[in-house]
Amino acid sequence: MRYLAPVCFFIFAAILVAVPLTAGNEYELRLFMLFLIYGIIAVGLNVLVGLAGLVSLGQAGLFALGSYSGAILSTRLGFDIVGSCIGAAIISGLFGVLLAYPTVRVRGVYLAVVTIAFGIIVENVAIEWQSLTGGTTGLSSIPKPNILGIRLSGFAFYGVLAVTLFVFTLLIHNLKISRFGRTMLAVAQSETASRALGINSTGLRTLAFVISAVTAGIAGTFYSFLNSYISPDIFTFSDSVRFLLMVILGGAGSTFGPVIGAYLLTYLPEYLQQFQLWQKFAYGALLLVVMFALPRGIVGTLQWAFNRLRPPAPALAATEGLPVETTLRHEKKMLAAELVATALTVRFGGLSALSNASLRVKGGEIHALIGPNGAGKSTFVNTISGFYRPDEGRCELDGVELTGRRSLDIARLGLARTFQNTELFGEMSVLENVMAGYDQRLTYGLTQALLRTPKMRREERECRQTAIGLLAFVGLSQYANEEARFLPFGLQRRLEIARALAGRPRLLLLDEPAAGLTTQEIDDLEAMVRRIAALGVSILLIEHHVDLIMALADHVTVLDYGQVIASDNPTAIQDDPRVIEAYFGAPLDRAAAVGAGA
Ligand code: ADP
Ligand code: MG
C-alpha cells in the first residue's frame, strides 16, 4: 500500500507522455487536451466535494470567470499565458472567497442553490456586459498561447496542460494526506467536534473554495487559449453539473478518481454522437446506471472492494507509539490550569438553564459536577467551552478571560472536552480521529503540506506516534484502523477521551463519560481518569455514578435548577441535606419532573 501512490503517479506520467506520440491527428490531440483542462477543474473541485464535503453547482461560473479574465488579459493587455493564468487565478480565487462566505450560514441544499445562483449571475454578466465580454457573440481572436513572446507549438501547449494537470493532482494528493485533508474531512463529519479540538472550520472551508476556484480559473484560461474563442453558451448550468459528476463518478475524495471521471465525461459525449437524437438520453441513462451500480464512484468502489478482499490490516504495534508520559506531560510552569467561573447565567427563552452559577476548579484537582437531569451541567460545559454565550457572568482559565472567545480559540488555550452524546468523526479511522485532535499542536503551513517538506514529515510522524501512544493508553491499539462508527459504544467514549487528550490540554471537561458503560468499563475509566490527572491535567467530571465520584473527586459541586446548591469535599456533600433532598433523595422522580432533558 505504501508504494501504491508513487506507482499510480508514475503510470499517470507515462500515459501523459505517450498520448501525443500516439495521437493520430490534430483533432484527437485536441480532444485529449480538452480532457486535461477538465481534469484540472475536477481535481480542484474534488477538494471541495471530496474533502470538505460541500457541493458546488456553480463551477462553470468560476470556469467562465477564468476564461474571460484570461481572454481579456491576453487580447487587451497582451499578457502571455503565464500572466493570464496568474491574473485569472487571482480573480477566480477572490470569487472563491466570496462563495465560501455563505457557508458560515448555509450548507447542503441551500449552499447548492447559492452556487447555482452564482453560475447564473456570471453567465448573465457575460451576456450583458458587452463592452468587456462581447455579449452573446463572445470574444474571438484570442492569441495563440505564448510565453514571453515565444509562441507555443501544439505539442508545447500540450506539455503545459499535461504538466499542470500532473502537478495539480500531485499537490492535491499531498494536501489530502496532510493536516489540511484530515481536518477538512473532520469538519465535514462533525463541525461541533472540530471546533472543540481547535480546528478552524471556516478557514478550511474557505481554503477548499479557493483551491477549487483557482484551479477552475486556470483551466478556464487554458480553455480560452485552446479554443481562441469563447462565448457565454459554453458555460451553462449543465456544465456545472458535468464538472460535479466528473468528481462523483470518478470517486470523490480519491486522488485519481476525478481525473478518470473527467476523462470519461470528455470522451463519452463524443462517443455517443453516433446516437444522434438519443445522445442526451443515452448519456443520462448511462450515468444513472453507473452511479447506481457504483455509488462510491469508480475509484472509490475499487478501493472499497480492495479493502474487503485483502486481509485485515494488522493491529498497530504499540511500540510504534510514544508513551503519553512523554507526549502529554507539561512543563512545571505550564502545570494544570485553574478554571474560575463567576456568576454564570444562561437563559433559553424563559428558562434559566444556569443562574448565577460559580465554580472553581483548582489546578490539578479532579472536580466533580453533579445534579439531576436538566440541572444545567451540560449547559455549564458548553458555556465554558465557548459553544454557548453566557447572558451574565464570566469565566477564566488561569486568569485568561474565556467569555466571548470562539470555541476553537478556547480549545487552543488548553481546554479540551468530550460530549454527552459522543461526537466522533464516524467515517474516519480510530487513529485519524486522534490525529485530528493533535492538529492544534502542528505548526506546518499550507506550502509545507503541498510540498511535503521535511518539517511537515517530521511533525506528521510525531503526530502519528503520539496518537498511537494515546490509543495504547486508552486500550484501543487493536482498533486503530477501524472506522470509528463501528466501535462499540464503550470504546467510542474512550476514543473521544483519547482525541481530546491529543491536543495536550491543561483542563479536561468530561460530560458523563460513564453513562452507558458496564461495571468493568467504569473501573477502567476510574483508573484512566487518575492517570490523566497524574499527567498534570485538571479535570471537571460530570457524573451520576456516586461510587465513581466518591472514589475520584477531590471536590464536588452540586447543581440544581441551574443553581449551585453545594460545593465541598465528597464526604461532606454526601451528608448535605439539601443535596440529599435534591439529588440522592428521589432522582428518578425529579428527573421525570424536570423533563429529563439533554
Ligand atoms: P444536564 O446536562 O444537567 O442534564 P442541560 O444543561 O443539558 O442539563 O439542560 C439544562 C436545561 O437547559 C434543560 O431544561 C434543557 O432542556 C435546557 N437546554 C439545554 N440546552 C438547550 C438549548 N440549546 N436550547 C434550549 N434549551 C436548552
Ligand atoms: Mg447533560
Side-chain angles (χ1 to χ4, degrees):
M1 281 306 272
R2 259 190 85 182
Y3 297 103
L4 188 64
V7 168
C8 290
F9 273 105
F10 182 79
I11 296 172
F12 185 35
I15 294 173
L16 291 178
V17 172
V19 164
L21 303 175
T22 56
N25 52 41
E26 205 175 313
Y27 175 76
E28 275 182 26
L29 188 65
R30 217 189 101 85
L31 191 59
F32 196 79
M33 285 161 82
L34 195 61
F35 146 64
L36 296 178
I37 289 172
Y38 288 153
I40 294 170
I41 299 180
V43 163
L45 184 57
N46 187 32
V47 175
L48 193 67
V49 177
L51 299 181
L54 299 167
V55 174
S56 167
L57 279 168
Q59 212 61 10
L62 293 164
F63 183 50
L65 260 174
S67 290
Y68 277 99
S69 310
I72 291 163
L73 288 174
S74 59
T75 45
R76 302 250 170 116
L77 302 177
F79 277 35
D80 68 359
I81 190 166
V82 177
S84 305
C85 275
I86 294 174
I90 292 172
I91 292 169
S92 39
L94 288 175
F95 276 89
V97 176
L98 199 73
L99 268 177
Y101 180 72
T103 61
V104 174
R105 293 186 177 277
V106 300
R107 303 286 146 71
V109 182
Y110 301 97
L111 179 62
V113 171
V114 171
T115 58
I116 292 172
F118 170 76
I120 295 173
I121 290 171
V122 173
E123 202 184 329
N124 273 285
V125 170
I127 293 170
E128 301 300 334
W129 197 348
Q130 294 208 0
S131 58
L132 191 69
T133 64
T136 43
T137 32
L139 291 173
S140 53
S141 58
I142 296 162
K144 290 285 168 211
N146 63 88
I147 294 178
L148 298 172
I150 303 163
R151 215 179 117 177
L152 295 177
S153 69
F155 283 118
F157 188 37
Y158 172 89
V160 170
L161 295 183
V163 168
T164 308
L165 175 60
F166 185 86
V167 169
F168 279 1
T169 312
L170 185 63
L171 292 180
I172 285 171
H173 174 74
N174 287 348
L175 183 86
K176 186 180 88 172
I177 59 177
S178 74
R179 63 184 294 195
F180 294 96
R182 187 162 54 232
T183 45
M184 278 180 190
L185 285 173
V187 169
Q189 285 173 48
S190 171
E191 177 154 6
T192 309
S194 303
R195 286 166 59 197
L197 296 170
I199 294 170
N200 185 346
S201 49
T202 311
L204 285 165
R205 272 197 296 267
T206 308
L207 178 66
F209 263 106
V210 169
I211 290 174
S212 75
V214 165
T215 45
I218 291 173
T221 305
F222 286 152
Y223 185 84
S224 298
F225 280 106
L226 182 70
N227 233 13
S228 11
Y229 162 75
I230 52 171
S231 69
D233 54 3
I234 309 175
F235 312 101
T236 60
F237 174 66
S238 74
D239 292 295
S240 290
V241 175
R242 186 144 63 112
F243 297 147
L244 183 61
L245 269 175
M246 288 173 180
V247 178
I248 296 173
L249 178 70
S254 66
T255 299
F256 289 101
V259 179
I260 293 172
Y263 180 84
L264 292 175
L265 293 187
T266 310
Y267 280 84
L268 199 62
E270 294 292 318
Y271 176 75
L272 292 176
Q273 266 178 12
Q274 52 183 305
F275 293 98
Q276 294 179 359
L277 281 179
W278 290 93
Q279 183 194 344
K280 284 241 154 89
F281 174 82
Y283 180 74
L286 208 74
L287 282 177
L288 215 67
V289 171
V290 174
M291 288 315 301
F292 186 75
L294 311 171
R296 292 177 175 81
I298 293 164
V299 174
T301 308
L302 284 176
Q303 273 168 352
W304 174 80
F306 179 75
N307 285 340
R308 291 203 45 163
L309 288 179
R310 71 171 175 171
L316 284 170
T319 48
E320 273 188 75
L322 294 170
V324 287
E325 278 72 17
T326 56
T327 55
L328 297 192
R329 184 173 288 288
H330 288 280
E331 310 284 320
K332 268 263 154 47
K333 58 181 171 16
M334 289 287 285
L335 220 58
E338 178 176 71
L339 174 78
V340 182
T342 319
L344 287 180
T345 297
V346 177
R347 294 189 200 96
F348 296 111
L351 173 99
S352 289
L354 281 180
S355 25
N356 206 20
S358 299
L359 185 154
R360 178 194 209 103
V361 181
K362 295 202 198 102
E365 84 176 354
I366 301 178
H367 194 122
L369 180 62
I370 65 172
N373 275 333
K377 305 181 295 296
S378 293
T379 303
F380 185 82
V381 168
N382 285 333
T383 308
I384 300 294
S385 54
F387 285 83
Y388 295 165
R389 297 244 149 149
D391 294 289
E392 281 153 47
R394 52 200 297 246
C395 32
E396 291 176 355
L397 190 69
D398 271 351
V400 179
E401 178 86 46
L402 299 183
T403 358
R405 282 182 203 262
R406 298 180 298 174
S407 46
L408 76 105
D409 294 324
I410 293 176
R412 289 176 185 179
L413 285 172
L415 184 146
R417 63 166 295 184
T418 62
F419 293 85
Q420 184 168 353
N421 305 309
T422 43
E423 282 275 351
L424 291 172
F425 306 124
E427 285 168 29
M428 291 165 70
S429 77
V430 167
L431 182 64
E432 284 168 334
N433 265 272
V434 183
M435 287 173 76
Y438 187 93
D439 194 72
Q440 51 174 302
R441 292 168 69 182
L442 294 170
T443 63
Y444 72 82
L446 183 61
T447 318
Q448 279 153 330
L450 292 173
L451 302 178
R452 288 179 59 70
T453 58
K455 177 180 178 180
M456 177 269 185
R457 289 166 195 247
R458 190 184 63 241
E459 288 196 0
E460 279 291 313
R461 200 163 46 239
E462 281 168 20
C463 168
R464 192 179 151 85
Q465 288 172 336
T466 304
I468 294 173
L470 269 164
L471 288 181
F473 175 68
V474 298
L476 288 178
S477 298
Q478 66 187 108
Y479 302 99
N481 294 316
E482 303 251 342
E483 270 184 45
R485 64 194 163 128
F486 294 136
L487 285 185
F489 182 71
L491 301 188
Q492 292 198 0
R493 285 221 178 267
R494 288 197 209 174
L495 174 55
E496 213 186 15
I497 294 176
R499 188 182 65 181
L501 286 174
R504 191 161 57 173
R506 295 182 296 137
L507 171 70
L508 178 64
L509 312 181
L510 297 170
D511 197 347
E512 303 204 17
L517 298 194
T518 63
T519 333
Q520 176 59 48
E521 284 174 332
I522 292 178
D523 289 347
D524 293 346
L525 179 72
E526 185 187 323
M528 203 187 295
V529 172
R530 264 188 223 291
R531 278 185 71 194
I532 295 170
L535 292 171
V537 183
S538 322
I539 294 174
L540 181 69
L541 174 71
I542 295 184
E543 240 336 302
H544 280 304
H545 292 80
V546 181
D547 295 346
L548 192 63
I549 295 162
M550 292 303 148
L552 279 175
D554 301 308
H555 198 99
V556 182
T557 297
V558 187
L559 271 181
D560 191 27
Y561 290 123
Q563 289 178 321
V564 174
I565 56 167
S567 191
D568 211 326
N569 66 57
T571 332
I573 286 289
Q574 229 176 351
D575 300 332
D576 189 311
R578 284 167 305 173
V579 178
I580 295 169
E581 196 258 307
Y583 190 66
F584 296 109
L588 285 178
D589 297 349
R590 258 322 261 292
V594 175

